Amino acid sequence: PEGRRRKCETYLKNLSLSEKDKWLAAVKAGTTHKLPWKCRPEGRRKGLYYHPSRVAPLELVLKVGEEVVARKTFTRPTSVVHWAVETEVAEGKGKEKGKGVGATSVLVRVKGNAQLSVAEIKIFGARGSVPCGLATCRHGSCKRSGRCECHKDWIGQDCSVNVRGNVKYLPEGPDGSWWDERRTRSFNETYERIQGEDHCEGSLSPHLLPGPAGLGAGLGSTMYYRAGDLTVAMKAGRGYNFAGHFNYARNSYCKGKGKFGDFSCYFRENPRCDGFVEKKRRGIKFPALTQKNAKGQDCLLPHQECKMRENFNEVPEKWQSKDIFWWRTHQISKLFRLNDEAAQIVDLEGIKERIGFRHPIIGVHMRSGDGCRHGVRSRLFDCRTLREYLPEVNALSAKYGTKNVFVATDNPEILAEIELTRKHTDLNFLVVPSESRAQLKSDTKIEQRMTGEDDGFDSHAAIVTAFQDIFLLSECDYLVTHQASTTSRVALNLATMRMKAVPPYISLDGPWCPQWRMCCEPRHDDGRFLVC
């Protein structure tokens, strides 16, 4: 806002040199929450970079020594430029040579008398045929094949991106080196074995979830919480079955199937253990829908699990050569499988045909319903309009050469905004029309509406719409997401599983998080975080 911008400019102008150094150090260290609110880089409440209302022409100059080898003037808030600059480079004592970029400096100039206000400049270098080890592979090891094999949590051809600490991953092309087919086969075989009929009696079978009455939180959060249970089970070589109830399945559709409150109403659970689960369920005294914990809160889990589960960052010993992102991706690929009837209702291929879903395509998750109106997310990021997503969409469009954009949103008002935006851009926006989206815009959390008094909320229509959006996002080639949202995380996991590589993606509110809650104050160098 204009008033905050003026206060910020005045604040920075009056800083002493020592205070400016302190300000820059806080930005670099990620401790900007300790700065005066009016001039934090992310603003007081929104997790947004400050964008000026008027963009001055910005010139980037690439130099090798004193020679200018490339230059580009930018006149848009976000733009991507490709420079192909080749110089001879040598590794070691000249034994191996290859082509690469040997730029020694990049200059930034502002034309005219305008002041410079830059949100972010990122320079991506395509490794090309530069030998592995020549200022590359800092977080990995070079193999005989010449490729870089990344350490845990690091991705990219040169292993330069920490998946738990970075909000942007824009590779030149798919990087299949991260994938490990042998480990994937091992995971699948182990999962199928422990879910066998002879493992029912000794299986891990909890009956509580996060959220009101132990019935679950949001869809993505609930599935991520279940991934923690699956980790415990697989570490012990036990099967995993859920003996409780699931909020989204408490509807007339599931009741008609005889699956009221059961995950198997929509998901492929373990039918071989249905008898065991039902027997255990009959012996459980479930909490009342209005029951609260000792602090008067909805969560009925053991206290420490209401915020963080210790096993969430663990990978069983058998797969410890892989990182938690790889592990969570494989878990979600099993937990988020629809049964045949649910898949028929979702009708993914039919929807793709009806809306004109064509590759290559950018997927955008716009969180503007109940998810951005509550808790930490509302205090940090608030709800955004389509206009605030366009710079990132334009960047992906320019870099990867596509105009197709699928938008998944829980706010029906965004559809009108999309129609208005079409008149001012050449982007081809696609969205799934659904009457049920209107019920998602609410000041009350969805999980509370499903356990409170009947206000007409249709959980069946809501979960079908969520399935359509999540699976369509997972089918996209590039993603603009909210990794503070577990819906975005699930979509990224499913897309990674489909592509057998981490797809190019941008997150608007923080890096990927392995927890069922949000990760706060993540460090981009090692991915460590606090749970909020």
Side-chain angles (χ1 to χ4, degrees):
E2 185 70 17
R4 188 190 306 159
R5 184 178 67 81
R6 286 197 300 268
K7 291 179 181 178
C8 184
E9 289 174 348
T10 303
Y11 170 76
L12 287 177
K13 185 177 180 180
N14 294 332
L15 283 181
S16 65
L17 288 177
S18 61
E19 288 173 324
K20 285 183 179 178
D21 288 341
K22 183 178 179 181
W23 189 87
L24 291 171
V27 173
K28 186 175 181 180
T31 57
T32 53
H33 60 283
K34 298 180 181 179
L35 297 173
W37 68 264
K38 58 190 175 186
C39 215
R40 294 180 191 172
E42 69 272 18
R44 185 181 184 184
R45 294 178 72 238
K46 296 186 177 182
L48 302 173
Y49 287 106
Y50 163 64
H51 289 289
S53 56
R54 180 175 62 85
V55 180
L58 176 69
E59 184 181 38
L60 292 185
V61 181
L62 185 67
K63 299 179 71 176
V64 176
E66 295 301 315
E67 179 186 1
V68 176
V69 294
R71 67 174 71 238
K72 171 71 176 180
T73 299
F74 297 85
T75 56
R76 296 191 303 165
T78 302
S79 187
V80 177
V81 62
H82 291 269
W83 279 328
V85 182
E86 293 188 349
T87 58
E88 291 292 334
V89 294
E91 182 170 12
K93 297 182 180 180
K95 295 179 181 179
E96 297 182 30
K97 290 187 176 182
K99 294 282 186 178
V101 177
T104 56
S105 63
V106 177
L107 305 181
V108 181
R109 297 189 183 123
V110 181
K111 293 187 175 181
N113 297 321
Q115 290 185 337
L116 173 63
S117 182
V118 181
E120 180 179 289
I121 294 176
K122 278 203 173 186
I123 299 174
F124 301 90
R127 196 180 76 190
S129 57
V130 178
C132 183
L134 183 68
T136 63
C137 210
R138 290 179 55 195
H139 301 284
S141 57
C142 293
K143 299 302 178 182
R144 290 184 179 181
S145 60
R147 70 176 179 85
C148 197
E149 185 174 287
C150 301
H151 297 154
K152 293 180 182 179
D153 297 325
W154 294 90
I155 57 175
Q157 286 186 326
D158 57 355
C159 303
S160 61
V161 175
N162 188 306
V163 74
R164 290 205 288 164
N166 288 79
V167 295
K168 293 183 180 180
Y169 174 57
L170 305 178
E172 294 302 310
D175 178 26
S177 62
W178 174 84
W179 189 257
D180 189 330
E181 190 63 37
R182 184 171 64 87
R183 295 293 181 189
T184 297
R185 232 176 6 251
S186 170
F187 175 89
N188 291 336
E189 291 170 358
T190 302
Y191 180 84
E192 295 303 325
R193 177 175 56 79
I194 66 173
Q195 292 299 86
E197 189 172 356
D198 55 341
H199 283 71
C200 294
E201 289 294 333
S203 66
L204 177 71
S205 47
H207 68 278
L208 288 178
L209 294 167
L215 297 174
L219 177 59
S221 295
T222 297
M223 301 310 285
Y224 255 57
Y225 184 85
R226 294 190 73 197
D229 285 334
L230 183 57
T231 296
V232 174
M234 294 188 75
K235 282 182 67 176
R238 301 167 62 186
Y240 167 58
N241 298 285
F242 185 70
H245 295 117
F246 172 45
N247 50 12
Y248 277 92
R250 292 168 51 83
N251 54 53
S252 57
Y253 167 78
C254 294
K255 189 174 184 178
K257 291 181 60 180
K259 298 288 186 181
F260 183 80
D262 202 318
F263 276 104
S264 62
C265 179
Y266 297 106
F267 295 99
R268 270 197 262 172
E269 292 294 294
N270 187 4
R272 291 169 289 193
C273 294
D274 281 351
F276 163 78
V277 171
E278 191 55 39
K279 179 181 177 181
K280 183 166 184 177
R281 192 174 283 158
R282 285 197 297 268
I284 297 173
K285 183 179 180 181
F286 290 97
L289 294 181
T290 57
Q291 186 171 330
K292 305 289 184 181
N293 63 21
K295 294 185 176 182
Q297 300 168 334
D298 287 332
C299 183
L300 302 181
L301 299 167
H303 174 66
Q304 68 275 14
E305 292 192 16
C306 284
K307 188 167 185 180
M308 179 176 179
R309 298 185 63 174
E310 293 181 2
N311 57 1
F312 251 81
N313 296 340
E314 295 180 7
V315 178
E317 185 177 358
K318 189 175 181 179
W319 298 277
Q320 280 189 357
S321 62
K322 309 306 295 182
D323 56 47
I324 187 65
F325 180 80
W326 183 94
W327 177 247
R328 191 70 77 241
T329 291
H330 284 68
Q331 289 181 303
I332 291 299
S333 74
K334 294 297 185 185
L335 294 172
F336 219 85
R337 295 179 298 174
L338 299 185
N339 61 40
D340 292 341
E341 289 183 28
Q344 193 171 6
I345 293 172
V346 171
D347 189 22
L348 189 62
E349 294 304 318
I351 288 177
K352 289 167 69 174
E353 187 64 33
R354 289 194 292 275
I355 67 174
F357 191 99
R358 299 288 184 273
H359 295 281
I361 187 168
I362 300 166
V364 181
H365 176 212
M366 292 187 63
R367 193 69 193 266
S368 50
D370 71 311
C372 61
R373 300 169 187 268
H374 302 279
V376 176
R377 194 179 291 114
S378 68
R379 294 195 296 272
L380 293 178
F381 310 118
D382 213 339
C383 299
R384 293 186 172 99
T385 62
L386 179 62
R387 180 181 178 182
E388 293 169 288
Y389 292 79
L390 286 179
E392 311 296 354
V393 173
N394 285 330
L396 290 177
S397 174
K399 184 171 178 64
Y400 296 108
T402 181
K403 300 296 183 182
N404 298 322
V405 182
F406 167 69
V407 178
T409 178
D410 46 12
N411 184 356
E413 295 176 5
I414 296 298
L415 304 183
E417 195 177 349
I418 288 175
E419 290 304 316
L420 182 63
T421 306
R422 290 184 200 273
K423 302 176 183 179
H424 306 285
T425 179
D426 56 353
L427 296 172
N428 176 32
F429 287 102
L430 309 174
V431 68
V432 179
S434 173
E435 295 179 359
S436 68
R437 292 186 195 280
Q439 68 174 342
L440 301 177
K441 186 181 178 183
S442 171
D443 290 330
T444 304
K445 286 186 177 181
I446 288 178
E447 54 264 38
Q448 292 172 336
R449 296 174 68 188
M450 287 189 285
T451 56
E453 295 183 7
D454 183 16
D455 64 352
F457 184 80
D458 187 345
S459 63
H460 174 65
I463 198 171
V464 169
T465 298
F467 285 149
Q468 291 171 340
D469 284 346
I470 288 172
F471 283 110
L472 284 171
L473 283 171
S474 74
E475 292 278 323
C476 292
D477 304 286
Y478 323 104
L479 294 170
V480 177
T481 66
H482 291 274
Q483 290 302 311
S485 163
T486 44
T487 296
S488 278
R489 293 178 224 162
V490 168
L492 180 61
N493 290 139
L494 294 177
T496 300
M497 200 71 190
R498 176 183 65 84
M499 298 173 68
K500 296 186 177 182
V502 183
Y505 72 93
I506 296 172
S507 173
L508 293 177
D509 55 11
W512 177 82
C513 170
Q515 283 286 330
W516 71 271
R517 292 174 66 95
M518 281 178 57
C519 294
C520 286
E521 298 187 26
R523 293 171 46 137
H524 62 80
D525 54 346
D526 59 14
R528 287 186 291 177
F529 60 89
L530 300 175
V531 176
C532 48

